[in-house]
């Protein structure tokens, strides 16, 4: 009896504890069914901090530079077309001549007599043919005889032309207006066919030749302005007058010619010059080369911050680089360029610019 009474408070306590637990659980389940869950607190995200500066594009004069050679507009070596002795000289080195001016004279060597003989022979053949044709109407001369006389007349005409040409060639003339740059003979010199007599050059207009790499030739057009810098620092201006249609197989470069006016007849033909072909201006930004980077595709470019404060990567072309920096194209005309922190962000990331309001 005593044991039953002692155990009953323990049993009662256990029963009460179980009842309390069931009551608590039923209250949580009811609240979960009737009340929406509380809003979860998301930790505030911290934006990457970068430094940036605004850059404005400016017109930049593109050029293609090559080393060229200055040549006379025309140059010819006048050679003897007949054998003989130099009997007269009409010009000296440095003389200006006009087209058609006589330059020198060779000895006659009987050429005048041969010309007179050829004239007489031609007259004879003409008379013979005329007489034969008159007789041919009366059928006293055969067709074969008439054909022979016509052939002899044609031969006489050819001999006369050769005699005239031989006499003309002993007095060579200037093929164009220019300057006598060399004289290789003196009075009394005996020359043969092909002997060099004089060198004639035209330098009131010059021709500059150069080679342009194949990757640059697509930007060239005939008529573009060209600046020429001589070794002594003098500057000349010309016009791109020719671009070859096929590259040199050895160098893979294209031959170009530049026409340059030289009214003062400056003595620069034969020298070298730096050729700067002026291309149409483009909009370019001046930046530090340290701001250039490569994207995942290996493209060279610059990271910017757009109006939505997001990072954008723009591929660029380097137009020039010097002590001032690198001039690049491919960016918007007004761009906010990341100067610090570009290596810790990627395109699409939202960032905060130092000094700007978030």
């Amino acid at each position: 009896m005593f044991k039953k009474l002692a155990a009953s408070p323990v049993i009662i306590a256990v029963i009460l504890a179980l009842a309390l637990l069931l009551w608590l659980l039923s209250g949580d389940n009811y609240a979960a069914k009737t009340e929406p869950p509380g809003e979860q607190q998301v930790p505030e995200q911290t934006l990457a901090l970068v430094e940036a500066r605004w850059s404005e594009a400016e017109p930049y004069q593109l050029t293609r530079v090559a080393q060229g050679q200055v040549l006379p507009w025309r140059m010819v070596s006048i050679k003897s077309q007949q054998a003989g002795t130099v009997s007269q000289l009409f010009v000296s080195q440095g003389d200006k001549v006009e087209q058609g001016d006589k330059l020198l004279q060779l000895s006659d060597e009987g050429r005048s007599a041969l010309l007179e003989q050829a004239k007489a022979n031609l007259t004879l053949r003409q008379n013979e043919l005329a007489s034969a044709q008159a007789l041919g109407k009366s059928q006293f001369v055969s067709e074969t005889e008439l054909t022979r006389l016509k052939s002899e007349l044609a031969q006489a005409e050819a001999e006369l032309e050769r005699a005239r040409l031989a006499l003309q060639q002993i007095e060579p003339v200037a093929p164009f207006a220019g300057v006598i740059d060399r004289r290789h003979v003196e009075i009394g010199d005996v020359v043969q066919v092909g002997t060099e007599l004089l060198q004639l050059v035209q330098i009131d207009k010059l021709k500059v030749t150069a080679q342009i790499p194949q990757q640059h030739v697509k930007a060239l057009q005939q008529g573009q302005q060209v600046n020429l810098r001589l070794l002594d620092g003098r500057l000349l201006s010309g016009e791109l007058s020719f671009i070859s249609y096929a590259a040199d197989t050895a160098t893979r470069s294209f031959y170009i010619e530049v026409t340059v006016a030289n009214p003062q007849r400056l003595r620069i033909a034969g020298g070298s010059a730096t050729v700067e072909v002026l291309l149409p201006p483009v909009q370019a930004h001046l930046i530090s080369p340290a701001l250039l980077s490569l994207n995942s595709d290996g493209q060279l470019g610059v990271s910017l911050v757009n109006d939505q404060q997001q990072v954008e990567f723009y591929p660029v072309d380097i137009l020039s680089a010097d002590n001032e920096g690198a001039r690049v194209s491919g960016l918007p005309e007004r761009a906010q360029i990341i100067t610090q922190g570009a290596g810790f962000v990627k395109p699409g990331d939202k960032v905060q610019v130092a000094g700007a309001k978030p």
Side-chain angles (χ1 to χ4, degrees):
M1 182 68 180
F2 176 76
K3 292 182 179 180
K4 291 181 179 179
L5 292 174
S8 59
V10 176
I11 296 172
I12 294 171
V14 171
I15 293 171
L16 291 175
L18 290 173
L20 179 61
L21 178 61
L22 291 174
W23 180 78
L24 292 174
L25 291 176
S26 64
D28 289 343
N29 290 334
Y30 179 77
K33 293 178 181 178
T34 58
E35 297 179 6
E39 184 177 354
Q40 295 183 352
Q41 297 296 323
V42 179
E44 183 178 354
Q45 184 178 5
T46 302
L47 299 180
L49 185 65
V50 298
E51 293 184 10
R53 70 172 179 86
W54 286 99
S55 175
E56 298 282 348
E58 296 180 351
Y60 178 69
Q61 179 65 65
L62 284 176
T63 60
R64 289 291 178 262
V65 180
Q67 287 302 119
Q69 184 176 8
V70 184
L71 301 173
W73 182 248
R74 285 188 287 190
M75 179 172 62
V76 63
S77 177
I78 299 175
K79 299 180 179 181
S80 176
Q81 294 178 286
Q82 297 291 329
T85 303
V86 178
S87 59
Q88 291 189 69
L89 290 170
F90 303 127
V91 294
S92 299
Q93 291 184 155
D95 286 354
K96 300 176 185 177
V97 296
E98 298 296 328
Q99 183 177 2
D101 286 354
K102 292 182 180 180
L103 305 176
L104 56 81
Q105 185 176 42
L106 301 179
S107 55
D108 186 275
E109 305 291 335
R111 293 181 180 86
S112 297
L114 290 175
L115 178 61
E116 294 302 320
Q117 180 182 356
K119 288 179 179 179
N121 187 46
L122 177 62
T123 302
L124 174 62
R125 299 306 178 189
Q126 288 173 338
N127 292 337
E128 287 180 344
L129 180 59
S131 299
Q133 288 175 333
L135 292 173
K137 294 179 181 179
S138 303
Q139 298 184 347
F140 288 111
V141 177
S142 65
E143 288 296 326
T144 302
E145 181 65 13
L146 285 174
T147 301
R148 182 185 65 79
L149 292 174
K150 289 179 181 178
S151 174
E152 291 177 351
L153 175 60
Q155 183 178 355
E157 290 173 343
E159 289 175 354
L160 177 61
E161 185 60 28
R162 283 196 295 269
R164 283 176 176 168
L165 185 60
L167 194 61
Q168 178 183 336
Q169 288 173 341
I170 66 173
E171 292 182 336
V173 299
F176 53 82
V179 178
I180 303 299
D181 197 50
R182 292 286 190 279
R183 196 183 73 188
H184 302 292
V185 294
E186 294 292 342
I187 292 178
D189 285 348
V190 177
V191 300
Q192 303 297 325
V193 175
T195 300
E196 291 188 2
L197 304 174
L198 304 159
Q199 182 171 289
L200 178 66
V201 296
Q202 181 183 351
I203 59 168
D204 58 346
K205 188 164 62 170
L206 300 172
K207 175 172 56 179
V208 181
T209 64
Q211 299 285 337
I212 295 294
Q214 58 182 335
Q215 62 268 28
H216 294 162
V217 73
K218 65 180 181 181
L220 303 185
Q221 292 182 355
Q222 289 183 219
Q224 287 174 329
Q225 183 182 347
V226 180
N227 290 335
L228 304 170
R229 185 182 298 276
L230 305 179
L231 290 181
D232 59 7
R234 285 181 292 178
L235 295 177
L236 298 176
S237 180
E239 182 180 290
L240 184 60
S241 54
F242 177 74
I243 308 168
S244 64
Y245 287 89
D248 185 280
T249 55
T251 63
R252 305 300 180 188
S253 58
F254 286 78
Y255 170 84
I256 66 170
E257 288 184 2
V258 178
T259 301
V260 182
N262 184 30
Q264 298 177 341
R265 291 186 171 88
L266 300 176
R267 289 180 170 86
I268 57 177
S272 58
T274 300
V275 179
E276 295 183 355
V277 183
L278 302 184
L279 305 180
V282 297
Q283 294 296 107
H285 289 262
L286 179 62
I287 66 171
S288 168
L291 302 181
L292 298 169
S293 61
L294 296 175
N295 65 3
S296 58
D297 296 327
Q299 293 177 304
L300 186 67
V302 177
S303 294
L304 310 180
V305 178
N306 62 20
D307 294 338
Q308 289 75 40
Q309 297 301 107
Q310 290 180 316
V311 178
E312 287 189 80
F313 183 87
Y314 278 81
V316 298
D317 293 321
I318 299 178
L319 305 178
S320 69
D322 51 31
N323 294 334
E324 296 182 6
R327 288 176 173 82
V328 299
S329 64
L331 301 179
E333 289 198 13
R334 189 170 188 268
Q336 190 173 201
I337 301 175
I338 299 177
T339 57
Q340 293 289 339
F344 300 99
V345 294
K346 62 182 182 298
D349 287 353
K350 193 166 185 178
V351 297
Q352 180 179 350
V353 179
K357 295 182 179 180

